[in-house]
Structure formats: C-alpha cells, structure tokens
Amino acid sequence: MAHAPRIAAIQDISGFGRCSMTVILPVLAAMGGQCCPLPTAYLSAHTAFPASEKATFLDMTGQMAGTAAHWAELGVTFDAVYSGFLGSAGQIALIEDFYRQFRGAETLVLVDPVMGDHGKPYRTYTPDMCRRMGQLAAQADVITPNQTEAALLLGEEYERFPGDEQGIRSWLERLSMDGKRSVVLTGVSLEPGQIGAGYFDRSTGRTGFAMSHQEPAQFPGTGDLFASVVLGALLRGESLEQATQSAAGFVQHCVAHTLAEGTSILEGVQFEPLLGELMRA
Ligand code: PXL
C-alpha cells in the first residue's frame, strides 16, 4: 500500500490575495502530495492590502491541540510538517507539541519562518513572536527565509544583507547552524536582471545558487509559492539544488504570466493555469 506523501500544513487561510494555504494546497496537490490543513488563523485577506487593519482576523489557536489529538487518535502519520504564517506566539508551543507527536525519523520538517518582508516585520508579528519563531526554526530540517527573515534569525540589521556572493554564502552557512539544517534563502540577486535563491544543503555541506530571470515586479505570496514547490520537489526525491531550481523557474514563470495578464499585484500571482507544469508526466 502506497499513499501520496502526506503534509501537515500549519498556515493561515487568507480568503483573498493568493498566499499561504490557498497557494500551498493546490501546489502540493499538483505535485502529488496530500495536504492536511491545520489553520493558524482565518483572515479576510492577506495583510499587504492597504488599510490592513480592516482585514478580519480569527485566531484559530484554540482548534490546534484538539485537531492534533484527533489526528493522533486516527493514527495519521506525516511525511512532512510545513509551517508558515502564524497567528500568535502561543501557537509555537503547540507546533513543538505537534513535532513531539508526529515527527518520525523520516518526517521532513520545513519551517518557513514567515515574519516580514522589505526589512520590516508584518503588522501582527511582535518581537516575542519573532524570537520564538527563531526557536521553532532551530528545530527544522529545512528553512526558507527571505532576506528580512534571515536578518531577524541572525540578529543582524536588514541593511547589512551582503551584496556579494561570498557574503551571501557566509550568511547561508550561519543560517545552517553549523550544518544542522538546510537553508533556502529566497529573493537573492547576484547580478542585475537575475533573481532566485541561495541554498545550503546539509546533506552535502555545500552552498549554491538557483537563479532565474528577474521580472519587473514583486508580488505577495511568492515566498509561499517558492517554499511549497521546494517541499513538493523534495518529497518527490529531488535534491535541494534541483528543488530550488524548480521553484525559481516556476515562480518566475507565474510572475511573467501574471504581468502579461495585467492583474493587480496585490491579488498575487496567477499560478492556477500553470499548475500543470508541476505535475509529473
Ligand atoms: O505570504 C506570507 C503571508 C501569509 N499570510 C498572511 C500574510 C502574508 C504576507 O503578507 O499577510 C496573512
């Protein structure tokens, strides 16, 4: 009996503006995974829309322990636990409990340490939450920070993000915590016109880069798209390098397609018509 790789997705559901759960579920399904959502919060829309204080925010912390207990009772097992945007600092202890209940020798724990972008923490992320996110990420097999989150994890100023390849390799090594975890650092550019990610693969101890053509716009939710393609590819047995390259290529294609269609940046990228590219022939 073989089942599809099963993933516990611990993420918010944002009703409008493609990000987090509404991206992760379809992407991982297209890549052959079975996603089990464990929602951290329901928001009417992601927080990048103007007047974000108008977004509804239902904290779902109260559902999490009971969901985990029911899943344990049903005997559910997971090939991966993938967390991202969290609703409160208290949820981190619940995720740590979740690891204790469901993390086996083969379980891949991916922490996308979602905390902020463009040098600033998101509105709902307190300093305590960022500190606890660092502790959660310390337990991961793979982390997928952007530059802002990398700076927060390392206790560095965002402005000090290195501008050269050697400097980025050194941040990747520091983020690996002495080679303990793999790292995919997104939003990295080594030369004008190119963007992608740097990676540290703990299985080889090597750093490298996976680059793609840089499109002239940045969309919300692309970090979630990137991380979910990385996870789907890893669960299919691709190396971290291949997985990062697959993600860089797919995100670039979705951005180019969306720019050609001309829809609003805040609605996120139109990945839906391109999901077929992620499916195995
Ligand atoms: O894509 C990260 C993300 C996830 N969830 C919510 C967000 C954001 C980024 O703004 O607002 C609710």
Side-chain angles (χ1 to χ4, degrees):
M1 182 182 68
H3 69 74
R6 190 178 296 129
I7 304 117
I10 311 177
Q11 307 268 349
D12 73 283
I13 302 175
S14 286
F16 188 65
R18 303 172 182 84
C19 71
S20 45
M21 205 73 96
T22 61
V23 169
I24 288 158
L25 254 63
V27 164
L28 283 162
M31 297 184 82
Q34 177 197 2
C35 244
C36 302
L38 181 47
T40 56
Y42 176 78
L43 293 86
S44 50
H46 65 58
T47 62
F49 283 100
S52 65
E53 70 284 356
K54 290 193 183 156
T56 68
F57 184 95
L58 174 67
D59 183 341
M60 295 185 71
T61 309
Q63 295 292 310
M64 290 174 68
T67 303
H70 188 208
W71 286 352
E73 204 176 296
L74 293 174
V76 184
T77 57
F78 292 102
D79 301 288
V81 181
Y82 171 20
S83 63
F85 185 98
L86 304 181
S88 67
Q91 291 183 348
I92 294 174
L94 293 165
I95 298 172
E96 290 168 341
D97 286 342
F98 195 89
Y99 293 165
R100 280 187 280 276
Q101 280 177 287
F102 294 100
R103 187 178 199 171
E106 302 293 314
T107 313
L108 184 68
V109 170
L110 189 152
V111 174
D112 188 358
V114 174
M115 292 186 276
D117 208 356
H118 309 294
K120 287 198 293 276
Y122 294 129
R123 192 173 56 84
T124 54
Y125 271 70
T126 61
D128 183 47
M129 223 168 135
C130 294
R131 184 185 58 81
R132 289 287 284 128
M133 184 66 100
Q135 294 171 344
L136 185 72
Q139 301 171 53
D141 297 304
V142 191
I143 59 168
T144 53
N146 61 26
Q147 293 184 13
T148 303
E149 292 150 357
L152 284 165
L153 289 174
L154 294 177
E156 293 276 5
E157 296 291 323
Y158 170 71
E159 287 69 28
R160 292 176 61 91
F161 190 86
D164 63 311
E165 185 180 323
Q166 265 324 307
I168 299 172
R169 285 186 195 271
S170 131
W171 272 45
L172 283 165
E173 276 162 14
R174 286 172 61 198
L175 285 164
S176 81
M177 302 176 78
D178 292 326
K180 199 165 98 33
R181 61 186 178 190
S182 291
V183 180
V184 178
L185 174 58
T186 60
V188 165
S189 183
L190 296 176
E191 51 182 289
Q194 298 244 302
I195 195 157
Y199 61 85
F200 172 91
D201 184 346
R202 71 169 178 194
S203 69
T204 60
R206 289 224 295 269
T207 55
F209 295 90
M211 290 298 165
S212 200
H213 174 70
Q214 180 163 24
E215 301 294 335
Q218 283 188 29
F219 288 81
T222 46
D224 301 316
L225 190 61
F226 203 105
S228 46
V229 176
V230 166
L231 178 59
L234 289 176
L235 289 171
R236 277 179 178 177
E238 289 183 30
S239 67
L240 190 73
E241 177 179 3
Q242 289 169 318
T244 309
Q245 195 62 64
S246 301
F250 188 70
V251 171
Q252 183 271 330
H253 198 178
C254 292
V255 170
H257 169 73
T258 309
L259 285 173
E261 294 294 329
T263 46
S264 141
I265 298 272
L266 290 171
E267 288 180 33
V269 290
Q270 295 195 47
F271 62 87
E272 297 88 352
L274 304 181
L275 281 174
E277 293 178 10
L278 298 174
M279 291 181 192
R280 268 209 172 127

